[in-house]
Amino acid sequence: MSSSQPFITSSPLAAAPGYNERRKSRFTFKHLGQLGLSSTTCPLRVVALIDLDAFYAQCEGVRLNIADDQPLAVQQWQGLIAINYPARKFGLSRHIDINEAKKLCPQLIVQHVATWREGDTKWAYHEDAFKHIATDKVSLDPYRLESRRILAAIKEFLPAPLQRVEKASVDEMFLDLSAHVHSILLQRYPELQGPAPYDDLSENLPCPPTTALDWNTDALVDLDANETEDDDPDWDDIVMLIGSEIVRDVRKFIYTRLKYTCSAGVAQNKMLSKLASAHRKPNQQTIIRNRAIQHFLADFKFTKIRNLGGKLGDEIVAKFGTDSVKDMLEVSHNQLKLRLGDETGSWVYQIIRGIDFSEVNSRTQIKSMLSAKSFRPTINTYEQAVRWLRIFAADIFSRLVEEGVVENTRRPKTINLHHRQGGNTKSRQAPIPKGRAITEEVLFESARNLLTQIIAEGKAWPCGNLSLSVGGFEDAISGNRGIGSFLIKGEEAKAMEPTINTSAPSHNTSDVSQAQSGKRRRLDNGAIQRFLVKTEQSFDDQERHSSTPDLSVEEGPRHNTASRSTEDFERDRMSIGNKGSEGLRVPLPDAGDLPSALRDPSRLHQQAITTFICGQCGKAIPADGREEHEDWHFATELQAQEHHGGNSMSKPIPARPSSTDNEKHKSNGKHHGSKIGAANGPKKPTSSSSAGKIHDGKVEKGQRRLAFG
């Protein structure tokens, strides 16, 4: 049964025009997450450019404590390279003649740049610098120093975990504010802090509750033709507003701290923020909202866009007959790729539409340093060139000091010299020695050697330009010590000399003191005896930490292995074979005879991966020590024969283990592995001092058969 009453909506808001279209933002939770990660493809991204106003002129004004409204210009030789904004009101521009500038603005203050002069150890301001163009060299170090102070102030103001700052030039810094804006956005709008509905990041964000935005004194670019200010703002407008607030505070901090004014641009990427920073100057900031990009770029010449002002821009103008962004928007993507190439065509297609994914690189350390001079008139002698190299070396070294080369934190790897004679340019490069500290003299000598190489080729004069540069900067390795720090000298070395006892070694106080001091005594015995001592130590250590459960080492009184005779070794060896499963009892070497690396018990607990059982003595030996163990048996037998005296040729010489024996050991190792049952026990050794090896029932030459029973 149907009702006779008409249906009435429960909420008048739901019936409002356009409600269904605007109740959700066009941005998603995924975009919000990308904003916090400073993703270059995020549509909510916020990038700013800080641009110092008439920077060189401001530096001189701050240095000379000149009023902000005082006209001031910076002079280089007979021209002007910087003019502050009060002076520009009089029609002054850069590179005009000094006399003409003073006629246009009689109250103009002109300050020549600092220069290097032969014999100077540091740049300085010389009142007569403009008269010495042939002998002085311009120094821009004062402006580099101020630029570093400004960069440091920006980094101090922004939160360290969220900041991403790139030094674009001496007077420009890019700031990627995305992560900073993201943190403020979540604080102001707590509804964005929760997870996405159904954990689906593609879900749209709720619309901002704010319907009117206060842009303060910012210069806003007009919206596109299909957009109106009556439209409710979306999250891209909100993040731009927060970004503009941060930039405004940064500019205020710079002026309060250092007395420099700057302009700024805030937009979605680096290219747009660069254009926006020059839109309103001085001491203003311009905001390009996403809805205003097309309107902002329409009236631009694309040759004004970053990376399109050089040869590429000229090529595009020649091929398409226009330099207007508006005209180029009508060219299709395929046509651009066809005429400019796939990669370049796609990049141009995006850039003229305001799409730029270039990253703000937070690495602001310099990569190279250059000091150069163009000669008017030219120079014609080796002595003149050497004097200039001296100035170049001093110039570069003073900047290296600021970079931290004295503290050995960063240093260049190469030095380069460029020489121009007429239309010919020659270059030479050499590595900077790593074993020496970088000094002004080292740079000068390296530069002079490079100049000598260039002159040796001929046609070096007259010279119109010389330039010296260093590059390939790298962070120095920290924690290294010179070889002298490992040496012991003087009284300390004498105190560490061991007391050598020439008497027969025995259990006496000198042996104990040497063992306690950890010194190794030099052994005067033969080579075989030294081999036996070393091997006895190594196998004792291996047995001590063996994983075989029924093989053990009894630690009895320690004996000096240097004084042990061959009979002692033979007796120990035979006793090992007779012990069977009762355990192995091997005498331990004196602690004084152990290498220092083996005196620490913690260094001796590495278990062998595989073991094999020696057929002569029954020991479980690590596989990698088998050959050494067999050699030990061979040396023991040989030593026993030498010890008993007599004609050595009258007794058979034992043969070294053959490859056949090795194969048997390998097979034996496979059956026994590293675990041996206690019931079986180790194999009893056969006497190898007099018995030779028998192959196929025959005794080899020089050997005899041993009778048993």
Side-chain angles (χ1 to χ4, degrees):
M1 180 176 178
S2 61
S3 172
S4 60
Q5 300 296 326
F7 175 76
I8 301 176
T9 57
S10 60
S11 173
L13 181 62
Y19 172 78
N20 291 330
E21 292 81 3
R22 292 296 296 168
R23 60 193 173 99
K24 287 284 187 178
S25 167
R26 60 191 178 94
F27 300 102
T28 66
F29 282 89
K30 179 181 179 180
H31 297 148
L32 182 63
Q34 290 177 332
L35 179 68
L37 298 175
S38 300
S39 172
T40 58
T41 59
C42 178
L44 297 175
R45 186 186 186 199
V46 183
V47 177
L49 177 73
I50 302 293
D51 184 5
L52 279 299
D53 299 322
F55 182 52
Y56 289 0
Q58 272 206 95
C59 288
E60 299 299 343
V62 171
R63 183 179 68 87
L64 299 173
N65 197 24
I66 294 175
D68 294 341
D69 58 351
Q70 169 64 47
L72 182 144
V74 179
Q75 177 185 359
Q76 180 175 318
W77 312 132
Q78 297 299 323
L80 300 179
I81 61 171
I83 302 171
N84 68 359
Y85 283 91
R88 296 183 188 186
K89 296 178 181 179
F90 293 87
L92 274 65
S93 61
R94 292 187 300 172
H95 304 297
I96 68 172
D97 183 77
I98 298 294
N99 296 327
E100 182 181 357
K102 290 187 175 181
K103 289 180 181 179
L104 294 174
C105 182
Q107 65 269 37
L108 179 68
I109 296 177
V110 179
Q111 173 62 54
H112 198 283
V113 295
T115 58
W116 283 90
R117 184 164 293 178
E118 185 177 0
D120 290 348
T121 57
K122 183 176 174 60
W123 50 265
Y125 286 94
H126 302 283
E127 294 183 1
D128 58 345
F130 65 95
K131 300 178 181 179
H132 296 81
I133 186 173
T135 57
D136 284 14
K137 179 195 172 303
V138 169
S139 175
L140 302 180
D141 287 0
Y143 313 130
R144 296 189 186 101
L145 291 174
E146 291 304 296
S147 177
R148 291 192 178 193
R149 293 180 63 202
I150 295 170
L151 181 63
I154 294 175
K155 290 185 174 182
E156 179 185 345
F157 180 81
L158 298 175
L162 305 177
Q163 65 179 237
R164 186 170 294 188
V165 183
E166 175 185 343
K167 183 177 180 180
S169 66
V170 71
D171 61 345
E172 294 178 332
M173 293 84 174
F174 281 111
L175 315 178
D176 190 335
L177 302 173
S178 301
H180 193 182
V181 169
H182 178 264
S183 66
I184 297 177
L185 188 69
L186 296 184
Q187 293 175 8
R188 292 187 183 179
Y189 303 95
E191 62 269 25
L192 299 179
Q193 297 180 9
Y198 316 108
D199 292 329
D200 185 2
L201 296 180
S202 62
E203 282 286 326
N204 294 81
L205 296 169
C207 276
T210 307
T211 57
L213 304 180
D214 181 11
W215 297 96
N216 206 315
T217 58
D218 295 342
L220 283 177
V221 174
D222 293 338
L223 298 176
D224 297 341
N226 58 343
E227 300 282 348
T228 65
E229 295 291 351
D230 294 333
D231 295 335
D232 289 338
D234 206 340
W235 291 113
D236 57 343
D237 297 317
I238 303 296
V239 296
M240 285 296 165
L241 176 66
I242 297 174
S244 69
E245 295 171 358
I246 296 173
V247 172
R248 191 181 305 113
D249 292 339
V250 169
R251 293 170 50 228
K252 182 179 180 181
F253 183 77
I254 293 173
Y255 183 77
T256 303
R257 174 70 64 87
L258 303 173
K259 303 302 180 184
Y260 289 100
T261 64
C262 49
S263 302
V266 183
Q268 190 185 62
N269 52 55
K270 293 173 71 174
M271 183 270 289
L272 290 173
S273 62
K274 167 71 173 175
L275 296 176
S277 65
H279 189 62
R280 291 283 188 272
K281 296 193 75 169
N283 200 22
Q284 297 185 62
Q285 61 186 50
T286 302
I287 314 299
I288 303 178
R289 293 167 288 178
N290 292 355
R291 295 186 289 160
I293 292 176
Q294 292 303 318
H295 177 77
F296 178 75
L297 292 176
D299 297 332
F300 262 92
K301 293 182 178 181
F302 60 76
T303 53
K304 300 293 185 182
I305 295 177
R306 190 167 171 254
N307 297 327
L308 275 177
K311 293 182 180 180
L312 179 58
D314 296 339
E315 180 185 354
I316 296 174
V317 172
K319 290 184 177 181
F320 294 94
T322 181
D323 61 356
S324 171
V325 171
K326 187 176 182 179
D327 295 338
M328 289 299 297
L329 289 174
E330 300 176 1
V331 181
S332 67
H333 190 189
N334 289 335
Q335 191 173 358
L336 284 171
K337 292 196 296 182
L338 181 64
R339 304 185 70 174
L340 299 176
D342 288 349
E343 185 176 350
T344 303
S346 297
W347 180 80
V348 172
Y349 180 84
Q350 291 182 332
I351 210 73
I352 60 179
R353 287 167 172 77
I355 302 172
D356 176 25
F357 298 133
S358 58
E359 184 179 2
V360 174
N361 191 344
S362 58
R363 291 174 295 180
T364 57
Q365 294 177 327
I366 61 174
K367 299 178 181 179
S368 63
M369 291 181 180
L370 172 71
S371 185
K373 174 69 176 180
S374 295
F375 304 114
R376 294 188 300 270
T378 58
I379 59 176
N380 298 280
T381 65
Y382 172 76
E383 289 73 18
Q384 287 179 295
V386 167
R387 286 197 295 268
W388 281 106
L389 292 182
R390 174 69 72 179
I391 294 176
F392 294 164
D395 182 16
I396 291 178
F397 180 71
S398 68
R399 289 150 61 187
L400 287 174
V401 171
E402 301 165 10
E403 191 63 21
V405 70
V406 174
E407 294 81 7
N408 198 33
T409 56
R410 296 192 78 225
R411 58 179 289 148
K413 294 190 293 186
T414 58
I415 183 169
N416 306 271
L417 181 67
H418 296 269
H419 173 283
R420 190 178 73 232
Q421 187 268 329
N424 300 322
T425 301
K426 300 178 183 179
S427 301
R428 290 292 179 273
Q429 177 178 297
I432 297 176
K434 287 190 175 181
R436 301 172 59 186
I438 296 181
T439 63
E440 181 181 333
E441 193 63 27
V442 169
L443 296 176
F444 171 67
E445 290 297 334
S446 299
R448 187 166 62 176
N449 291 337
L450 296 177
L451 177 63
T452 303
Q453 297 176 23
I454 293 175
I455 294 176
E457 297 181 1
K459 296 183 179 180
W461 316 112
C463 176
N465 178 275
L466 271 179
S467 65
L468 184 68
S469 64
V470 294
F473 278 82
E474 60 182 358
D475 293 332
I477 301 174
S478 60
N480 279 2
R481 295 190 296 169
I483 191 171
S485 62
F486 294 95
L487 302 179
I488 301 173
K489 304 176 182 179
E491 296 299 327
E492 185 179 0
K494 293 180 180 179
M496 296 184 67
E497 290 182 357
T499 303
I500 302 177
N501 189 354
T502 58
S503 61
S506 61
H507 295 287
N508 52 31
T509 56
S510 63
D511 292 334
V512 176
S513 62
Q514 289 179 7
Q516 292 175 348
S517 62
K519 302 292 185 301
R520 292 189 61 188
R521 294 181 290 102
R522 179 165 182 156
L523 304 179
D524 296 330
N525 303 55
I528 295 179
Q529 185 66 25
R530 290 198 300 270
F531 169 80
L532 292 174
V533 173
K534 177 180 179 181
T535 308
E536 190 74 15
Q537 293 169 357
S538 62
F539 286 116
D540 177 68
D541 293 332
Q542 293 169 1
E543 292 293 340
R544 183 180 303 177
H545 301 287
S546 174
S547 60
T548 307
D550 61 323
L551 299 181
S552 62
V553 176
E554 180 178 274
E555 185 172 349
R558 298 180 179 267
H559 298 278
N560 193 328
T561 54
S563 63
R564 291 171 59 82
S565 64
T566 308
E567 288 90 346
D568 296 330
F569 285 110
E570 183 69 16
R571 190 184 312 111
D572 294 337
R573 184 176 64 80
M574 296 300 294
S575 65
I576 293 173
N578 296 328
K579 290 295 180 181
S581 61
E582 296 177 2
L584 297 177
R585 299 179 181 272
V586 182
L588 297 175
D590 192 349
D593 293 323
L594 282 173
S596 59
L598 298 179
R599 294 177 193 144
D600 182 7
S602 64
R603 307 283 295 271
L604 304 175
H605 288 277
Q606 182 176 356
Q607 299 291 340
I609 299 176
T610 59
T611 61
F612 86 102
I613 306 303
C614 176
Q616 300 184 51
C617 66
K619 284 187 179 182
I621 306 299
D624 56 357
R626 185 185 64 193
E627 293 185 4
E628 185 180 1
H629 183 72
E630 292 172 347
D631 290 342
W632 180 83
H633 280 299
F634 177 75
T636 303
E637 295 163 1
L638 185 60
Q639 177 74 5
Q641 293 181 14
E642 294 177 354
H643 180 76
H644 289 296
N647 188 358
S648 62
M649 297 301 295
S650 64
K651 296 184 179 181
I653 300 175
R656 297 193 68 209
S658 63
S659 60
T660 306
D661 299 317
N662 293 340
E663 293 298 327
K664 292 180 180 179
H665 288 314
K666 290 181 181 178
S667 176
N668 188 25
K670 290 181 181 178
H671 290 292
H672 291 276
S674 60
K675 295 183 179 180
I676 303 173
N680 297 330
K683 289 185 178 181
K684 293 188 178 182
T686 59
S687 176
S688 59
S689 61
S690 59
K693 290 183 173 57
I694 302 176
H695 299 279
D696 299 330
K698 297 180 180 181
V699 180
E700 293 185 2
K701 185 178 180 180
Q703 299 180 349
R704 60 187 175 86
R705 187 186 302 274
L706 182 64
F708 292 89

